[in-house]
Amino acid sequence: PRQSQRLWRLWRLARGVSRCPECWQPQPVPQMSHLDFLRQLRQGEPVVLRDPGGADLVEKYNFEYLESQMKGSDWRVHLVPKGQRFQRVYGQGVGEGMVTTMSFPDFAGKSLSDAAHAYYMQVPFSGRPLESLGTDPYGSDMRDDRRRVLQWLRKLTEEAELGELDNNQLWIGRGGNLTPCHYDKAENLHLQICGRKTFLLIPPDQTFAVYPYPIDHPLDSFSMVDFDSPDFQRFDDFADVQAFQVTLEPGDLLYLPKYWW
């Protein structure tokens, strides 16, 4: 079978036949109730929990509410030309963009009016990154929200035996933003609060077919492949990657195991 795959790939490359993420027909990520979610999670596989704790934030976490609770501080913001992906670092031959700081009112205004750029805010919500600030920059209502959500999340992580919940971040944007394929070295729980987000997931046993950057590269946990226009002459094994996909709705919680792309 492996030889047949290789011959099929060579035939496809010889004729200039391309494939793209839309052609992969990725498998769906399971969506389960609480007990089934925990069983799937313990197997180390991605799974979505519908209607989890904290879903009440869905109705209130809009830009107006966030500005009322975050307007007194400057926050970390990724800024890239429209259409480019957000990533960990910029420059150094890995794409235009920058990480800067701005107030929430500035972020809200510029992300709406600046047609040439895309903005994505990344801020610590709890844990060590927040403690490193030396102060709690959120308003009282948002602190109450955090206390309730973290209480539920800590109970979930204990039941799932995921370890300590030590780093929580908020990602805030206007939509249409893309992140290059990469992996994290920690277990992830992603709670979608507003809007929708699509994840394309690839298991770690296919890492070499995703072609990660070398270990000493600034993007060493990212894939070198352009998923929109793959170069199959250079990355021929990428054509056979098997992927999973899910689109999170407001209130959904995704368990994303460490080292999954």
PDB file of all heavy atoms in Angstrom, residues 111-122:
ATOM      1  N   SER A 111      -8.993  47.890  14.955  1.00  0.00           N
ATOM      2  CA  SER A 111      -9.338  46.596  14.364  1.00  0.00           C
ATOM      3  C   SER A 111     -10.591  46.686  13.510  1.00  0.00           C
ATOM      4  O   SER A 111     -10.822  45.839  12.634  1.00  0.00           O
ATOM      5  CB  SER A 111      -9.535  45.548  15.462  1.00  0.00           C
ATOM      6  OG  SER A 111     -10.617  45.891  16.313  1.00  0.00           O
ATOM      7  N   LEU A 112     -11.386  47.723  13.720  1.00  0.00           N
ATOM      8  CA  LEU A 112     -12.607  47.925  12.948  1.00  0.00           C
ATOM      9  C   LEU A 112     -12.377  48.831  11.745  1.00  0.00           C
ATOM     10  O   LEU A 112     -12.947  48.620  10.671  1.00  0.00           O
ATOM     11  CB  LEU A 112     -13.695  48.520  13.845  1.00  0.00           C
ATOM     12  CG  LEU A 112     -15.119  48.553  13.307  1.00  0.00           C
ATOM     13  CD1 LEU A 112     -15.623  47.137  13.016  1.00  0.00           C
ATOM     14  CD2 LEU A 112     -16.042  49.239  14.305  1.00  0.00           C
ATOM     15  N   SER A 113     -11.486  49.830  11.888  1.00  0.00           N
ATOM     16  CA  SER A 113     -11.345  50.850  10.840  1.00  0.00           C
ATOM     17  C   SER A 113     -10.155  50.637   9.915  1.00  0.00           C
ATOM     18  O   SER A 113     -10.145  51.161   8.794  1.00  0.00           O
ATOM     19  CB  SER A 113     -11.225  52.232  11.494  1.00  0.00           C
ATOM     20  OG  SER A 113     -10.050  52.318  12.285  1.00  0.00           O
ATOM     21  N   ASP A 114      -9.130  49.908  10.338  1.00  0.00           N
ATOM     22  CA  ASP A 114      -7.917  49.740   9.543  1.00  0.00           C
ATOM     23  C   ASP A 114      -8.101  48.583   8.566  1.00  0.00           C
ATOM     24  O   ASP A 114      -7.951  47.408   8.926  1.00  0.00           O
ATOM     25  CB  ASP A 114      -6.726  49.467  10.470  1.00  0.00           C
ATOM     26  CG  ASP A 114      -5.402  49.393   9.723  1.00  0.00           C
ATOM     27  OD1 ASP A 114      -5.410  49.459   8.475  1.00  0.00           O
ATOM     28  OD2 ASP A 114      -4.359  49.255  10.393  1.00  0.00           O
ATOM     29  N   ALA A 115      -8.413  48.908   7.300  1.00  0.00           N
ATOM     30  CA  ALA A 115      -8.690  47.866   6.309  1.00  0.00           C
ATOM     31  C   ALA A 115      -7.437  47.173   5.816  1.00  0.00           C
ATOM     32  O   ALA A 115      -7.516  46.104   5.195  1.00  0.00           O
ATOM     33  CB  ALA A 115      -9.438  48.475   5.114  1.00  0.00           C
ATOM     34  N   ALA A 116      -6.265  47.735   6.076  1.00  0.00           N
ATOM     35  CA  ALA A 116      -5.022  47.164   5.553  1.00  0.00           C
ATOM     36  C   ALA A 116      -4.393  46.142   6.487  1.00  0.00           C
ATOM     37  O   ALA A 116      -3.473  45.418   6.082  1.00  0.00           O
ATOM     38  CB  ALA A 116      -4.019  48.281   5.273  1.00  0.00           C
ATOM     39  N   HIS A 117      -4.849  46.069   7.733  1.00  0.00           N
ATOM     40  CA  HIS A 117      -4.218  45.189   8.713  1.00  0.00           C
ATOM     41  C   HIS A 117      -5.265  44.386   9.493  1.00  0.00           C
ATOM     42  O   HIS A 117      -6.426  44.771   9.580  1.00  0.00           O
ATOM     43  CB  HIS A 117      -3.360  45.989   9.698  1.00  0.00           C
ATOM     44  CG  HIS A 117      -2.221  46.700   9.073  1.00  0.00           C
ATOM     45  ND1 HIS A 117      -2.324  48.001   8.590  1.00  0.00           N
ATOM     46  CD2 HIS A 117      -0.948  46.292   8.828  1.00  0.00           C
ATOM     47  CE1 HIS A 117      -1.149  48.363   8.082  1.00  0.00           C
ATOM     48  NE2 HIS A 117      -0.308  47.358   8.213  1.00  0.00           N
ATOM     49  N   ALA A 118      -4.802  43.291  10.055  1.00  0.00           N
ATOM     50  CA  ALA A 118      -5.616  42.484  10.959  1.00  0.00           C
ATOM     51  C   ALA A 118      -5.008  42.566  12.357  1.00  0.00           C
ATOM     52  O   ALA A 118      -3.778  42.625  12.510  1.00  0.00           O
ATOM     53  CB  ALA A 118      -5.669  41.037  10.488  1.00  0.00           C
ATOM     54  N   TYR A 119      -5.859  42.555  13.373  1.00  0.00           N
ATOM     55  CA  TYR A 119      -5.443  42.712  14.765  1.00  0.00           C
ATOM     56  C   TYR A 119      -5.949  41.520  15.577  1.00  0.00           C
ATOM     57  O   TYR A 119      -7.081  41.058  15.396  1.00  0.00           O
ATOM     58  CB  TYR A 119      -6.022  43.992  15.362  1.00  0.00           C
ATOM     59  CG  TYR A 119      -5.516  45.273  14.733  1.00  0.00           C
ATOM     60  CD1 TYR A 119      -5.955  45.679  13.479  1.00  0.00           C
ATOM     61  CD2 TYR A 119      -4.617  46.092  15.422  1.00  0.00           C
ATOM     62  CE1 TYR A 119      -5.503  46.863  12.906  1.00  0.00           C
ATOM     63  CE2 TYR A 119      -4.163  47.277  14.864  1.00  0.00           C
ATOM     64  CZ  TYR A 119      -4.606  47.657  13.605  1.00  0.00           C
ATOM     65  OH  TYR A 119      -4.155  48.828  13.042  1.00  0.00           O
ATOM     66  N   TYR A 120      -5.108  41.053  16.490  1.00  0.00           N
ATOM     67  CA  TYR A 120      -5.471  39.919  17.335  1.00  0.00           C
ATOM     68  C   TYR A 120      -4.876  40.161  18.716  1.00  0.00           C
ATOM     69  O   TYR A 120      -3.659  40.258  18.868  1.00  0.00           O
ATOM     70  CB  TYR A 120      -4.906  38.643  16.725  1.00  0.00           C
ATOM     71  CG  TYR A 120      -5.651  37.363  17.038  1.00  0.00           C
ATOM     72  CD1 TYR A 120      -6.929  37.355  17.571  1.00  0.00           C
ATOM     73  CD2 TYR A 120      -5.056  36.135  16.763  1.00  0.00           C
ATOM     74  CE1 TYR A 120      -7.593  36.172  17.830  1.00  0.00           C
ATOM     75  CE2 TYR A 120      -5.708  34.932  17.011  1.00  0.00           C
ATOM     76  CZ  TYR A 120      -6.981  34.963  17.539  1.00  0.00           C
ATOM     77  OH  TYR A 120      -7.634  33.790  17.793  1.00  0.00           O
ATOM     78  N   MET A 121      -5.728  40.286  19.727  1.00  0.00           N
ATOM     79  CA  MET A 121      -5.256  40.573  21.071  1.00  0.00           C
ATOM     80  C   MET A 121      -5.059  39.276  21.855  1.00  0.00           C
ATOM     81  O   MET A 121      -5.922  38.407  21.855  1.00  0.00           O
ATOM     82  CB  MET A 121      -6.254  41.483  21.797  1.00  0.00           C
ATOM     83  CG  MET A 121      -5.846  41.827  23.221  1.00  0.00           C
ATOM     84  SD  MET A 121      -6.953  43.030  24.032  1.00  0.00           S
ATOM     85  CE  MET A 121      -6.419  44.561  23.257  1.00  0.00           C
ATOM     86  N   GLN A 122      -3.912  39.164  22.508  1.00  0.00           N
ATOM     87  CA  GLN A 122      -3.565  38.012  23.339  1.00  0.00           C
ATOM     88  C   GLN A 122      -3.260  38.524  24.737  1.00  0.00           C
ATOM     89  O   GLN A 122      -2.293  39.250  24.937  1.00  0.00           O
ATOM     90  CB  GLN A 122      -2.352  37.275  22.767  1.00  0.00           C
ATOM     91  CG  GLN A 122      -1.849  36.138  23.629  1.00  0.00           C
ATOM     92  CD  GLN A 122      -0.508  35.596  23.155  1.00  0.00           C
ATOM     93  OE1 GLN A 122       0.104  36.143  22.245  1.00  0.00           O
ATOM     94  NE2 GLN A 122      -0.056  34.524  23.777  1.00  0.00           N
TER      95      GLN A 122
END
